Amino acid sequence: MFDAAPAQPLVQVRDLKMYFPIYSGVLRRKTGDVKAVDGISFDIFKGETLGLVGESGCGKSTVGRALLRLYEPTAGSVSIGGTNVLSLGDEALRKTRPQMQMVFQDPQASLNPRMPVAAIIGEPLREHTDWDGQKILARVYELMDAVGLNRKFANRYPHEFSGGQRQRIGIARALALKPKFIVCDEPIAALDVSIQAQVVNLLEDLQDEFGLTYLFISHDLSMVRHIADRVAVMYLGRIAELSPRDGLYARPLHPYAEALLSAVPEPDPALARSRQRIILKGDVPSPANPPKGCNFCTRCPKVMDICRQVKPELAEVEPGRLVACHLYSEKTAAG
Amino acid sequence: MPDQALPVLDVRGLKTVFRTRGGEVHAVNDVSFHLRPGELLGVVGESGSGKSVTMMSLVRLLPSPPADIRSGEVMLQGKDILKLRDEELRDVRGARVGFVFQDPMTSLNPVFTVGDQIAEPLIRHKGMTKAQAANRAVELLELVGISDARKRLSAYPHQFSGGMRQRVMIAVALACDPEVLIADEPTTALDVTIQAQILELVKDLRQKLGMAIVWITHDLGVIAGIADRVMVMYGGQVVEQAPVKELFTNPRHPYTRALLKTIPSLTGHRDARLQVIEGQPPILTAAPTACPFRPRCKHALDRCDRENPQRRALDDRPVGHGHDVACHWTPESADV
Ligand SMILES: Nc1ncnc2c1ncn2[C@@H]1O[C@H](COP(=O)(O)OP(=O)(O)OP(=O)(O)O)[C@@H](O)[C@H]1O
Ligand SMILES: Nc1ncnc2c1ncn2[C@@H]1O[C@H](COP(=O)(O)OP(=O)(O)OP(=O)(O)O)[C@@H](O)[C@H]1O
Ligand SMILES: [Mg+2]
Ligand SMILES: [Mg+2]
């Protein structure tokens, strides 16, 4: 390849693990771990949007929080812009905050109910800049316009907003300092399609203008198709497939990715009838007790013997396409 | 189609206003709809258009002040809920009308275990013992696709993922086999496979128990798959209402038309830029005297400024039963 300059990873994650201890009994002794994230590695390039999709409870939010050190990961390394995030002390970590932000999945829980909206959106500006009140307010108005919140609502409190309006308050706050890297955890789930489009267009404009990098966590596979350059599909704490968008949507390689894409509801009733759905059988195993071998082996329509014994590693099976599945490593495994 | 059956729920002329420091907010303006047993009404509409406030008003879940239900009737099996005494109302809320709230984290109590929260209505309204209620709670969690259910009964909400919390809310709402289920964005945090499982469950409950359902969502794909009828809201009003196929094939309100155009596609052409509906939503500080969509409408007529359109039937069925729209414009009047 003769690409002018190879893209630089802004975010590098290696073998990240996040276990939550389980305590039980009267003595609250530790009896096990919820392996919410169980050894995942990926890069996000500068100016890129990496989509992160997968079943509810598979560990997406935990990945996002661990990257920004809102959790203390159990193991692994995370480097953002060359800084090893996991080894920073409190003050050094605070200083990096303006660079990396998160839009939270649960807007209500992440907004201070006793602060009016203008104060909430302006908070990072007060904390990390020396701007005066007027300049901050001007920026707050700009941000409210950008996410489609009426300026007249600036003095309202979070409970006076609808679900989708609250979500936009969180987005405006995350954008306030023009961070370099934003983890967007279901940023548009609560919004109607038109406002979803407005927010996604805004995220893309900011990316074009300032080279922002996003980790975009979402259940909405059509929106991920629109916004992401590459997409990571997670299952039970691990990455099943990480592929460029077009390749993944045209021809998913991992059987879980295939099932996931086939289940998207189709808004056109005529098309809806003709779509072939792969309905997965069986329950999602508990992350406290993942199956031996491949963690998808209990539900995989293409399961083989080896899948119940050996954990498949994420490996490049076609140029740019990483898949953790024995279907593709069979040849090598057989020797 | 259970077209002849009497409605379980019949809402007429509902108006809800918030009194705030900055003046009044007319969040719900003259909303009427009904539900028959086993029927599923999909509710879509712009963010802030009054979907949640409408549904919370039905069972008086909004604190007053600031909320004030100015007028309207909410008939549940022929009896007006808005006139019930507080203890009768508690029974309706816990047992007869199940509610899945839009914001699962704030509606689950952080200091009680998930198991206790599902068991509570069963003990209170169904007279179950603690052990019976715990067994039923396990069943309900399994129904909504949570693995290892018995072990998870003792977990607290913060130990669950967003989608798991949402499913706990669904389990709580279904616990007492309500006659009416009101689900406010119940699957936003769920991936498509679990969503499909929940939708199957809902179909089942409708058939087996005749549960009537209101399903609020931004996901038009979900609506296309499960709704019998769809109600479209804008600016605190119902602007269009129709059987589901009719709405997708023959949308009449300019807002509905614009909304249907904004859906990004999974399979079709991938646009460089997503479509948006230009302009700002209305701010609802007074009762509307003009059409709330007027400033953003491509087809606006002079009349739309003077007169807020009433819902009118587009077929031979009365308003609310067939296809109706609140709009002065007709495709034929296109170039007036
Ligand atoms: N604080 C915690 N303590 C214990 N377990 C936790 C905690 N937070 C998350 N978990 C568990 O970790 C797993 C992954 O949760 P996470 O929130 O990352 O899922 P998710 O992929 O974001 O799901 P969703 O799509 O539903 O939001 C779940 O099984 C959850 O129960
Ligand atoms: N306590 C309150 N005080 C003042 N205004 C309020 C209050 N609660 C809601 N509102 C306003 O009422 C309107 C309707 O809100 P509602 O929550 O019903 O919207 P929604 O259609 O459910 O939107 P979404 O899709 O974003 O959830 C909004 O404009 C909102 O700002
Ligand atoms: Mg999550
Ligand atoms: Mg709402």
Side-chain angles (χ1 to χ4, degrees):
Chain A
M1 290 279 152
F2 299 99
D3 287 348
Q8 279 292 312
L10 179 76
V11 179
Q12 283 183 301
V13 179
R14 292 294 172 270
D15 211 22
L16 184 71
K17 291 186 179 159
M18 180 73 219
Y19 293 177
F20 296 103
I22 304 171
Y23 300 98
S24 46
V26 244
L27 297 175
R28 309 303 289 164
R29 263 186 319 165
K30 185 176 167 216
T31 53
D33 286 304
V34 176
K35 295 178 178 160
V37 176
D38 198 13
I40 70 171
S41 305
F42 60 87
D43 291 340
I44 312 177
F45 296 99
K46 221 173 240 161
E48 183 188 43
T49 301
L50 180 70
L52 183 59
V53 303
E55 210 147 43
S56 170
C58 71
K60 302 177 300 296
S61 298
T62 307
V63 169
R65 287 168 167 265
L67 288 192
L68 299 190
R69 252 197 64 204
L70 302 174
Y71 285 148
E72 292 298 335
T74 312
S77 71
V78 174
S79 130
I80 300 182
T83 310
N84 183 348
V85 182
L86 302 190
S87 66
L88 293 179
D90 286 352
E91 182 53 25
L93 188 63
R94 199 189 75 87
K95 289 225 176 80
T96 64
R97 287 283 173 233
Q99 304 291 317
M100 12 190 246
Q101 288 286 323
M102 179 147 182
V103 177
F104 291 93
Q105 182 170 14
D106 216 321
Q108 175 85 321
S110 65
L111 302 176
N112 184 339
R114 275 176 292 276
M115 273 165 58
V117 167
I120 292 176
I121 300 175
E123 194 181 27
L125 295 166
R126 278 195 307 280
E127 180 157 346
H128 294 282
T129 69
D130 51 10
W131 296 5
D132 61 22
Q134 211 179 351
K135 191 164 174 194
I136 290 178
L137 189 64
R139 173 86 180 123
V140 167
Y141 281 152
E142 216 177 278
L143 288 159
M144 291 183 75
D145 292 347
V147 298
L149 281 174
N150 201 305
R151 290 180 179 204
K152 295 199 174 112
F153 297 165
N155 292 320
R156 283 201 191 171
Y157 290 82
H159 75 270
E160 296 177 305
F161 286 88
S162 77
Q165 291 166 336
R166 276 200 290 268
Q167 183 65 283
R168 282 175 274 164
I169 301 171
I171 295 170
R173 182 179 57 184
L175 294 176
L177 290 164
K178 300 199 176 125
K180 291 209 166 59
F181 175 53
I182 307 183
V183 174
C184 303
D185 192 358
E186 300 282 355
I188 52 168
L191 309 180
D192 67 73
V193 259
S194 170
I195 292 178
Q196 282 185 4
Q198 187 178 336
V199 168
V200 166
N201 288 343
L202 170 70
L203 290 174
E204 290 182 329
D205 290 347
L206 291 169
Q207 188 163 51
D208 291 345
E209 206 174 329
F210 304 106
L212 297 195
T213 305
Y214 301 122
L215 177 66
F216 192 89
I217 302 174
S218 178
H219 290 303
D220 184 337
L221 295 165
S222 7
M223 201 53 97
V224 168
R225 174 177 182 242
H226 177 85
I227 196 173
D229 301 299
R230 290 185 304 144
V231 183
V233 181
M234 266 183 89
Y235 184 81
L236 209 64
R238 295 175 60 86
I239 293 181
E241 174 163 358
L242 199 169
S243 286
R245 170 195 64 219
D246 290 339
L248 179 76
Y249 280 75
R251 191 171 50 95
L253 295 179
H254 194 286
Y256 175 65
E258 197 182 351
L260 187 70
L261 283 171
S262 80
V264 180
E266 170 61 58
D268 185 334
L271 282 178
R273 311 248 175 270
S274 68
R275 284 268 299 282
Q276 273 293 330
R277 274 197 175 184
I278 304 170
I279 305 271
L280 291 176
K281 298 209 174 63
D283 285 338
V284 188
S286 153
N289 189 16
K292 191 172 172 236
C294 173
N295 57 8
F296 188 51
C297 71
T298 54
R299 303 170 78 200
C300 182
K302 299 180 179 166
V303 64
M304 306 175 292
D305 283 342
I306 182 177
C307 308
R308 299 198 181 87
Q309 315 293 331
V310 183
K311 192 184 275 190
E313 293 300 324
L314 192 67
E316 188 160 13
V317 303
E318 281 177 25
R321 302 196 63 171
L322 306 173
V323 180
C325 177
H326 289 301
L327 283 174
Y328 302 91
S329 59
E330 222 187 343
K331 282 169 259 157
T332 30
Chain B
M1 278 269 137
D3 226 27
Q4 274 69 43
L6 281 177
V8 242
L9 184 72
D10 196 351
V11 178
R12 294 179 209 146
L14 188 70
K15 280 190 189 161
T16 305
V17 175
F18 292 101
R19 294 202 204 121
T20 71
R21 295 169 318 283
E24 293 189 336
V25 178
H26 290 247
V28 177
N29 261 303
D30 200 10
V31 166
S32 303
F33 65 92
H34 66 264
L35 266 182
R36 296 201 180 80
E39 191 177 36
L40 194 144
L41 176 71
V43 180
V44 300
E46 184 157 69
S47 173
S49 63
K51 304 181 294 295
S52 301
V53 173
T54 299
M55 299 311 157
M56 309 247 279
S57 302
L58 300 186
V59 275
R60 287 169 27 206
L61 279 167
L62 296 162
S64 171
D68 174 18
I69 300 177
R70 287 275 159 91
S71 60
E73 283 177 347
V74 178
M75 309 301 281
L76 179 67
Q77 306 280 26
K79 211 166 166 200
D80 191 350
I81 312 184
L82 295 182
K83 298 213 172 75
L84 293 182
R85 280 175 295 129
D86 283 356
E87 68 268 22
E88 290 174 305
L89 189 65
R90 263 197 293 279
D91 237 27
V92 166
R93 278 184 201 152
R96 298 181 60 196
V97 179
F99 219 108
V100 182
F101 295 91
Q102 189 168 4
D103 216 323
M105 201 51 192
T106 37
S107 35
L108 289 173
N109 191 327
V111 303
F112 289 106
T113 65
V114 163
D116 285 345
Q117 298 190 54
I118 305 176
E120 198 260 359
L122 292 166
I123 295 169
R124 188 206 290 233
H125 299 289
K126 294 268 158 169
M128 287 190 184
T129 64
K130 267 194 142 170
Q132 287 169 329
N135 285 337
R136 177 75 181 135
V138 170
E139 263 173 45
L140 285 161
L141 284 178
E142 282 168 353
L143 272 179
V144 294
I146 290 188
S147 60
D148 241 3
R150 191 164 294 274
K151 278 207 194 121
R152 304 243 204 202
L153 285 184
S154 58
Y156 290 88
H158 78 270
Q159 297 174 315
F160 275 24
S161 78
M164 290 157 70
R165 290 197 287 258
Q166 208 163 36
R167 282 177 280 161
V168 171
M169 281 297 309
I170 298 176
V172 173
L174 293 177
C176 296
D177 299 328
E179 294 147 60
V180 176
L181 173 70
I182 296 178
D184 193 352
E185 302 277 3
T187 58
T188 44
L190 302 184
D191 60 275
V192 285
T193 48
I194 291 181
Q195 178 172 294
Q197 187 178 344
I198 299 283
L199 298 181
E200 276 308 306
L201 171 67
V202 162
K203 265 187 206 155
D204 227 45
L205 292 169
R206 292 167 60 190
Q207 266 158 20
K208 288 204 189 112
L209 305 178
M211 194 179 286
I213 300 173
V214 176
W215 196 275
I216 304 178
T217 180
H218 291 302
D219 190 331
L220 296 161
V222 168
I223 291 283
I226 60 166
D228 299 311
R229 283 184 294 127
V230 188
M231 174 165 108
V232 184
M233 289 189 68
Y234 186 88
Q237 297 177 193
V238 178
V239 293
E240 185 160 6
Q241 196 270 150
V244 64
K245 270 207 198 106
E246 170 77 6
L247 190 92
F248 279 95
T249 50
N250 186 23
R252 283 293 291 275
H253 197 281
Y255 171 70
T256 315
R257 292 171 168 230
L259 185 70
L260 293 177
K261 276 203 197 117
T262 54
I263 313 171
S265 152
L266 186 69
T267 45
H269 170 70
R270 183 180 162 273
D271 294 316
R273 217 170 156 75
L274 296 168
Q275 292 249 7
V276 302
I277 303 173
E278 296 296 337
Q280 290 235 343
I283 28 177
L284 312 172
T285 44
T289 52
C291 170
F293 193 58
R294 158 92 182 79
R296 304 168 78 180
C297 184
K298 280 192 209 150
H299 305 292
L301 313 166
D302 285 347
R303 191 176 167 200
C304 309
D305 255 342
R306 281 177 272 123
E307 198 187 320
N308 188 12
Q310 298 293 302
R311 287 166 71 180
R312 62 188 166 87
L314 294 171
D315 47 28
D316 53 8
R317 286 182 282 181
V319 166
H321 292 255
H323 189 174
D324 63 77
V325 67
C327 179
H328 294 308
W329 176 77
T330 56
E332 302 80 61
S333 76
D335 22 42
V336 171

